[in-house]
């Protein structure tokens, strides 16, 4: 049985961070764009005083789709339909990115919450190796990772599962790593398990990547640090 703990909180996002940090790549410049499904925009329901802030995510897709609780840092509790699957996928992108700055034990506990039972141990082992690679390249002090889902779509399949895709962007910064941005589309094959959506398979592709406005160039690491001093590093 999964342990329920109400607290405030990588998948594809973690794997990407590993590859970017290991390559030491420059900030992404531009690439051909592509159309994507628009994100749902319905406002979330009002939250009662004392409600966990992690449940107040402004991108909640459709009223009643979830989340309704937080389990080991991951917002969970979604409706068993396409809207619930889409909301879950957006949270899985956010939660996977959060692992970059979480304590190792907390990160792996969060991964267990998201994974389907059949792949849980494999995903935990994979995440553990990825986090070690990140710490070895970006360090463990002063690491910031800003990330946000931008657009998403989902559909149910004939087996009672769902395919959900999320277009997102992220920025990684640490004293050892200059500010780097990337744009990716994460795809999740979800299964309905233990009364919630879980990840049975994940992958991601590059882009679509917007271009910078004319005359704008990437900000240097030193200037980024100065301009963002005092900003909350959470996504």
């Amino acid at each position: 049985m999964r342990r329920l703990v109400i607290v405030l909180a990588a998948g594809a996002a973690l794997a990407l961070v590993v590859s970017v940090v290991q390559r030491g790549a420059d900030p992404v410049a531009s690439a051909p764009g592509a159309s994507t499904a628009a994100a749902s925009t319905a406002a979330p329901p009002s939250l009662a005083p004392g409600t966990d802030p992690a449940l107040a995510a402004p991108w909640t897709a459709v009223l009643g789709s979830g989340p309704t609780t937080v389990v080991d840092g991951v917002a969970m509790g979604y409706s068993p339909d396409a809207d619930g699957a889409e909301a879950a996928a957006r949270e899985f992108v956010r939660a996977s990115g959060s692992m970059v700055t979480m304590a190792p034990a907390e990160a792996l506990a969060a991964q267990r919450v998201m994974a389907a039972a059949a792949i849980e141990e494999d995903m935990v082992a994979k995440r553990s190796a990825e986090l070690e690679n990140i710490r070895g390249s970006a360090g463990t002090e002063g690491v910031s990772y800003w990330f946000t889902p931008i657009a998403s779509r989902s559909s149910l399949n004939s087996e009672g599962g769902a395919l959900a895709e999320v277009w997102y962007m992220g920025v990684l910064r640490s004293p050892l790593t200059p500010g780097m941005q990337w744009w990716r589309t994460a795809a999740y094959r979800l299964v309905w398990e233990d009364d919630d959506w879980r990840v049975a398979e994940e992958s991601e592709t590059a882009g679509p990547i917007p271009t910078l406005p004319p005359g704008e160039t990437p900000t240097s690491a030193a200037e980024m640090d100065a301009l963002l001093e005092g900003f909350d590093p959470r996504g």
Side-chain angles (χ1 to χ4, degrees), residues 114-119 123 188-191 193 198-202:
M114 294 184 284
I119 65 167
M123 292 192 73
Y188 295 103
R189 183 171 67 83
L190 304 176
V191 294
E193 185 177 287
R198 316 282 175 178
V199 179
E201 185 179 352
E202 61 180 19

Side-chain angles (χ1 to χ4, degrees), residues 33-220:
S35 61
T36 60
S40 301
T41 58
S46 298
L47 295 168
T51 300
D52 194 312
L55 303 182
W59 47 258
T60 298
V62 176
L63 294 176
S65 64
T68 60
T69 189
V70 179
V71 185
D72 286 334
V74 183
M76 297 294 288
Y78 297 96
S79 56
D81 52 25
D83 291 331
E86 183 173 347
R90 293 177 73 107
E91 166 61 6
F92 294 161
V93 165
R94 186 208 67 80
S96 296
S98 293
M99 292 181 190
V100 174
T101 55
M102 293 171 69
E106 294 176 348
L108 297 184
Q111 181 58 70
R112 289 185 182 280
V113 171
M114 294 184 284
I119 65 167
E120 181 177 325
E121 296 305 324
D122 289 341
M123 292 192 73
V124 167
K126 178 183 177 182
R127 294 298 176 255
S128 181
E130 290 171 347
L131 288 169
E132 286 300 316
N133 285 333
I134 292 172
R135 295 186 192 101
S137 299
T140 58
E141 301 295 330
V143 178
S144 299
Y145 180 35
W146 289 269
F147 48 88
T148 184
I150 297 173
S152 55
R153 64 182 176 184
S154 65
S155 60
L156 300 180
N157 58 38
S158 58
E159 290 77 35
L163 173 64
E165 298 169 281
V166 182
W167 182 42
Y168 74 95
M169 66 86 61
V171 177
L172 178 69
R173 177 76 182 102
S174 82
L176 302 179
T177 307
M180 294 181 291
Q181 65 161 313
W182 55 86
W183 298 76
R184 292 293 188 272
T185 300
Y188 295 103
R189 183 171 67 83
L190 304 176
V191 294
W192 187 254
E193 185 177 287
D194 290 346
D195 296 321
D196 220 333
W197 290 112
R198 316 282 175 178
V199 179
E201 185 179 352
E202 61 180 19
S203 63
E204 72 168 27
T205 56
I209 306 172
T211 59
L212 289 173
E216 292 192 6
T217 58
T219 304
S220 69

Side-chain angles (χ1 to χ4, degrees), residues 209-232:
I209 306 172
T211 59
L212 289 173
E216 292 192 6
T217 58
T219 304
S220 69
E223 186 179 2
M224 181 177 293
D225 285 346
L227 292 173
L228 297 179
E229 183 176 1
F231 277 58
D232 189 334

